[in-house]
Amino acid sequence: MPQPRESGSGPGDRAPLPSARPAGLAPGLVDRYGRRATDMRLSLTDKCNLRCTYCMPAEGLEWLAKQAVMTAEEIVRIVRVGVDHLGVRELRLTGGEPLVRADLIDIISALRKAHPELPISMTTNGVGLDKKAAALKSAGLSRINVSLDSLHEETFAQLTRRPFLDRVLAGVDAAWAAGLGPVKLNAVLMRGINDEESPSLLAWALERGYELRFIEQMPLDADHGWTRRNMITAAEIRELLSVDYVLGPDPRARDGAPAERFEVRRRDTGSGDATGPVLGTVGIIASVTEPFCSDCRRTRITAEGKIMSCLFSREEFDLLGHLRAGATDQQLAERWQDAMWLKPKAHGMEHVGLDAPDFVQPDRSMSAIGG
Ligand code: SAM
Ligand code: SF4
């Protein structure tokens, strides 16, 4: 797999990044455009046991060597630098598939011990979650997001290239029973495959009290097969849902959240108006067609300890190599600040396939970055 450009890298290379971050700035992960990152996404592994068509190729990817991946202790140290020195207020564990890490429970226990009040959530494909949900809760995980694109066995298997729907559904139920709620479900809609299923997926989630979020497919698939024509847009998602439901604005503040949330009420088949009580909410993450870059509060750490200021960054900055070479917390914090200072203004995706020939898809797929 071609690797993205890496700047200022090399374990032990303590040279400042070419960021020209002005001295004397307020502490924290600020960038040139006035944003402050407080939401940290940390990838625990690049490995995965599914092969979702919009993320991984059928044959998988070349996994990172074990020694290249952050150990539990390194993860705890990096999170501590983020929280204690840089104003990180929220942590999401992701991957690859976090549940495939054998020391996952130990990592969460250690993070919780170090940060008793920190909201720690995890995004998972749910395979094996039924067996681990209770232990995750006891270890200190606050909440969970499970990816679920279809409730039909065949469609699920077509999208993930694995026949594991039952296992995922058992995982979702177990997470709820273990108290890892509110349980959020992530669904990516693919044209002609699961797009028509979106209202029944929503009905299923509403009945059980899960918060479903539809995510626009982004050009982050390893096969580079994404096309604008095939992507189901947020506008289309609203239209698909509006046959059965009326979506009203959610009065809660969006507060930098990627999902635009809507209150859901049933649509009266006769009058076409909303009828009955609010059934719950649904979220739509319109990263491509209605980007929220100007409000972005994210900073990302890949499984091999590289800082990515944006999913679409073509530059990444080594943090783990510096940690292993003996950098102090203060030095790590400064390097992280330098990297975030260079965060691009926007990903440029809103025009891809239209009039932005300069948009270049990152070499890494979603699983290798940490979605
Ligand atoms: N393996 C876990 C999972 O699937 O939930 C965590 C990692 S996965 C990369 C995180 C999220 O990214 C999932 O909800 C998945 O659906 C989403 N995702 C992956 N590739 C995507 C793409 N090309 N566009 C939009 N979302 C994508
Ligand atoms: Fe694995 Fe998650 Fe990517 Fe699917 S979306 S292949 S489950 S990392």
Side-chain angles (χ1 to χ4, degrees):
M1 181 177 61
Q3 288 301 308
R5 194 174 44 182
E6 189 177 301
S7 301
S9 66
D13 166 13
R14 305 277 179 77
L17 299 174
S19 75
R21 183 172 55 90
L25 277 180
L29 296 171
V30 293
D31 68 39
R32 293 165 291 169
Y33 304 100
R35 295 166 296 189
R36 179 180 296 274
T38 53
D39 172 1
M40 175 176 178
R41 303 267 156 151
L42 183 134
S43 175
L44 295 179
T45 176
D46 59 327
K47 289 189 187 149
C48 189
N49 43 10
L50 300 186
R51 297 285 181 275
C52 303
T53 54
Y54 46 76
C55 181
M56 282 238 194
E59 65 281 11
L61 293 165
E62 203 179 307
W63 309 131
L64 292 167
K66 190 165 186 280
Q67 62 274 21
V69 175
M70 292 182 289
T71 64
E73 293 72 29
E74 289 165 344
I75 288 168
V76 172
R77 168 109 188 265
I78 285 177
V79 171
R80 184 159 53 75
V81 171
V83 174
D84 292 352
H85 295 257
L86 295 169
V88 165
R89 294 285 160 262
E90 209 177 316
L91 173 66
R92 171 81 59 92
L93 303 174
T94 182
E97 175 45 48
L99 287 174
V100 305
R101 247 192 104 133
D103 55 355
L104 174 64
I105 304 290
D106 296 338
I107 293 172
I108 294 173
S109 298
L111 289 170
R112 177 53 71 217
K113 197 167 164 222
H115 309 285
E117 305 298 328
L118 183 70
I120 306 176
S121 59
M122 185 173 89
T123 303
T124 170
N125 63 29
V127 176
L129 181 57
D130 54 337
K131 297 190 182 62
K132 293 202 177 139
L136 289 166
K137 176 71 184 175
S138 321
L141 188 67
S142 317
R143 220 187 43 67
I144 209 149
N145 280 43
V146 184
S147 300
L148 178 64
D149 299 329
S150 175
L151 295 164
H152 295 295
E153 264 174 50
E154 277 177 29
T155 312
F156 180 93
Q158 184 184 0
L159 281 166
T160 63
R161 301 191 181 102
R162 295 290 184 271
F164 294 160
L165 175 62
D166 286 350
R167 295 171 68 179
V168 175
L169 295 181
V172 175
D173 288 345
W176 177 256
L180 287 170
V183 173
K184 296 188 182 175
L185 302 176
N186 293 356
V188 177
L189 295 179
M190 302 290 278
R191 193 175 300 286
I193 300 176
N194 63 341
D195 50 340
E196 299 288 340
E197 198 190 325
S198 47
S200 47
L201 201 53
L202 178 56
W204 187 88
L206 290 170
E207 270 167 33
R208 287 159 181 79
Y210 304 145
E211 187 177 321
L212 179 62
R213 300 128 44 95
F214 292 102
I215 309 175
E216 279 184 347
Q217 187 202 358
M218 293 179 268
L220 286 171
D221 56 317
D223 293 330
H224 287 221
W226 183 96
T227 62
R228 177 170 284 274
R229 190 166 41 85
N230 264 338
M231 182 195 66
I232 306 286
T233 64
E236 281 179 277
I237 297 168
R238 291 190 288 264
E239 210 176 302
L240 282 161
L241 299 179
S242 68
V243 175
D244 295 340
Y245 298 104
V246 175
L247 307 186
D250 185 325
R252 286 175 294 176
R254 188 161 173 180
D255 203 22
E260 182 174 10
R261 278 187 312 246
F262 300 93
E263 284 188 341
V264 184
R265 296 176 69 198
R266 189 160 294 289
R267 186 179 292 285
D268 182 83
T269 40
S271 67
D273 295 335
T275 177
V278 172
L279 301 170
T281 58
V282 66
I284 300 180
I285 303 182
S287 317
V288 180
T289 61
E290 299 159 23
F292 34 85
C293 300
S294 59
D295 282 330
C296 182
R297 297 181 190 171
R298 293 201 179 155
T299 182
R300 291 174 187 276
I301 303 290
T302 67
E304 75 272 47
K306 295 198 169 142
I307 306 160
M308 286 186 78
S309 59
C310 168
L311 267 179
F312 290 87
S313 293
R314 293 193 58 78
E315 279 185 317
E316 44 192 63
F317 301 93
D318 186 28
L319 196 59
L320 182 61
H322 290 259
L323 183 158
R324 289 182 177 175
T328 63
D329 282 3
Q330 187 56 37
Q331 286 166 329
L332 293 174
E334 279 170 22
R335 185 165 180 79
W336 201 337
Q337 287 182 299
D338 284 344
M340 289 304 292
W341 180 252
L342 297 174
K343 183 176 170 98
K345 186 173 185 187
H347 53 47
M349 239 190 331
E350 61 277 26
H351 301 302
V352 63
L354 295 175
D355 56 356
D358 52 337
F359 175 84
V360 186
Q361 177 167 344
D363 294 322
R364 281 178 184 262
S365 66
M366 189 71 136
S367 63
I369 300 169

